[in-house]
Amino acid sequence: MDFRRYSLPWYAYALLAYAVAGTIWWSVLLLRKNAEAFDARVADLSTRLTISRELEPGQTIENTAIYKEADRDYRAQRGMIIGEAILLLSCILGGTYLIYRNLKRRLMAADQQRSFLLSITHELKSPIAGVRLILETFQNRRDLPEGTQIKLSTNGLKEADRLTELVNNLLLSAKLESGYQLSKEQLDLKALLLEAVDVVKTKYPTAEIKLDVDDDLPFFKGDDTGMTSVILNLVENAAKYSQPAPKIDIELARNGPEEMVMTVSDNGPGVPDEHKSKIWRRFYRIGSEDTRRTKGTGLGLFIVKELVQRHRGLIELDDNEPNGARFRVRLPV
């Protein structure tokens, strides 16, 4: 996402500079006029007191009550001018910032909507086309060998599973936005990891997955659907973005008496530093939907972070040496 698109046009900066400069100029002019008026008043007081001989011998005008009153009025007016100038400048700059922030949010929302529509279109076209092709093959060729029928049926089921996964992610994302209620039970995270590894190996046969789980880990009290989604999204992302030969290391270990840590590392290109804080946003994906080839909707990591936080956990991302990404999930026991 190119944030330079969200900058204000040059004439907006010109108008802002004119408004700020005008406010400062008028403030300086008023302060100068106020000082000149005070000097003129002091000169007039000095002349009147000298003529009326109201000044005692050795007494200066600065020590008279009338001068002190004039000085108080002068300082009060100067403070009022400075205060109003600061308030006006704050209103100009603050209002400009609020307008810019609102405009930026609207443009980002439009970009996210466009990105979402493009990604959903890409995600839906392929499985629908695949299922349609399989059905047309069965319809036009009823004498297919049994082996071919099994192969086509298996491919059709895979495409249907892909559509089901997409729909489930969309529904889960919507539920998280509107208030997802966790249904907590005792979970065996090792068993969930093994199930996720089996699913990912089926989808990515070239993936080399190494699983290292501590012995005698306690059960984790959490939402079965939510934690399954967290684990599956992380492992599948590691395989998806590490093609053509993914190497994935998964660790699950106890970290002290009150925490378990799950780490998923891959050998892919990793996540650039400028995107590490943005990939958790809904629908956010690195690159352009018009050019990227990796399938996805930008919902996976958004769902992962939301679910981990609802389990009072923490998810972290850092670089995997020598290359790749490492996601670390900290869960309370």
Side-chain angles (χ1 to χ4, degrees):
M1 190 178 293
D2 186 6
F3 285 91
R4 289 175 297 181
R5 294 182 56 246
Y6 306 134
S7 61
L8 295 173
W10 66 269
Y11 53 83
Y13 290 106
L15 288 173
L16 177 62
Y18 176 79
V20 172
T23 302
I24 295 175
W25 185 82
W26 279 106
S27 301
V28 172
L29 181 63
L30 288 173
L31 288 172
R32 189 176 298 170
K33 292 297 183 181
N34 188 44
E36 290 175 357
F38 175 71
D39 291 340
R41 185 177 178 183
V42 170
D44 179 64
L45 287 175
S46 178
T47 301
R48 285 195 295 116
L49 292 175
T50 301
I51 293 175
S52 61
R53 296 182 180 181
E54 294 182 21
L55 289 177
E56 299 178 0
Q59 184 184 18
T60 61
I61 190 173
E62 286 81 5
N63 294 326
T64 61
I66 193 171
Y67 174 84
K68 291 179 180 179
E69 182 181 355
D71 184 62
R72 282 194 301 270
D73 292 341
Y74 163 69
R75 293 179 183 276
Q77 290 177 354
R78 184 179 65 178
M80 182 181 67
I81 294 171
I82 294 175
E84 290 182 352
I86 293 174
L87 179 61
L88 185 57
L89 283 174
S90 299
C91 291
I92 293 173
L93 296 176
T96 303
Y97 170 73
L98 291 176
I99 293 172
Y100 168 71
R101 187 178 66 174
N102 186 54
L103 175 64
K104 181 178 176 180
R105 285 180 176 177
R106 289 179 179 271
L107 290 174
M108 288 179 65
D111 270 2
Q112 284 186 339
Q113 184 179 19
R114 176 178 175 275
S115 175
F116 169 70
L117 291 174
L118 286 171
S119 64
I120 288 296
T121 302
H122 291 162
E123 287 294 298
L124 290 175
K125 277 181 65 177
S126 179
I128 290 176
V131 171
R132 180 182 178 83
L133 179 61
I134 291 170
L135 292 175
E136 288 178 346
T137 303
F138 275 117
Q139 185 180 43
N140 297 329
R141 297 186 60 186
R142 300 181 182 276
D143 57 343
L144 289 171
E146 184 179 354
T148 304
Q149 292 183 24
I150 294 174
K151 182 178 180 180
L152 289 175
S153 300
T154 302
N155 290 339
L157 289 172
K158 286 182 180 178
E159 297 297 343
D161 289 340
R162 182 175 162 191
L163 282 173
T164 301
E165 181 184 354
L166 174 60
V167 172
N168 287 338
N169 277 339
L170 289 172
L171 290 175
L172 183 55
S173 173
K175 289 179 181 179
L176 289 172
E177 288 283 307
S178 59
Y180 180 77
Q181 297 297 325
L182 299 181
S183 178
K184 292 190 175 182
E185 56 186 286
Q186 297 294 334
L187 301 177
D188 184 353
L189 294 185
K190 181 179 180 179
L192 295 183
L193 278 171
L194 290 173
E195 292 176 7
V197 168
D198 288 340
V199 172
V200 172
K201 280 186 174 179
T202 302
K203 295 180 68 173
Y204 302 94
T206 61
E208 180 183 329
I209 304 178
K210 180 182 177 183
L211 184 60
D212 183 11
V213 180
D214 281 0
D215 296 328
D216 301 325
L217 282 176
F219 283 96
F220 174 71
K221 191 174 183 180
D223 183 72
D224 185 33
T225 302
M227 290 309 302
T228 299
S229 180
V230 168
I231 294 172
L232 189 57
N233 270 303
L234 289 177
V235 179
E236 187 171 350
N237 274 357
K240 182 192 302 183
Y241 293 102
S242 302
Q243 297 296 319
K247 292 184 178 180
I248 305 168
D249 291 328
I250 306 173
E251 298 178 2
L252 180 60
R254 189 81 176 253
N255 183 32
E258 298 181 354
E259 185 179 69
M260 281 192 293
V261 179
M262 180 180 67
T263 305
V264 180
S265 307
D266 61 58
N267 63 330
V271 180
D273 291 339
E274 64 269 23
H275 294 282
K276 286 181 178 177
S277 63
K278 304 171 187 175
I279 59 173
W280 313 106
R281 298 174 185 169
R282 194 181 187 193
F283 304 131
Y284 185 87
R285 299 188 70 206
I286 299 174
S288 169
E289 290 292 344
D290 299 320
T291 57
R292 72 167 61 90
R293 296 181 179 179
T294 307
K295 300 173 183 177
T297 59
L299 288 174
L301 291 179
F302 165 78
I303 291 173
V304 168
K305 184 177 181 181
E306 288 290 322
L307 288 171
V308 169
Q309 289 180 342
R310 288 169 191 260
H311 283 88
R312 296 183 295 111
L314 176 69
I315 184 166
E316 303 167 336
L317 166 64
D318 54 26
D319 296 326
N320 185 31
E321 299 299 336
N323 61 296
R326 180 187 295 110
F327 288 87
R328 186 178 295 106
V329 179
R330 302 182 181 275
L331 296 170
V333 177

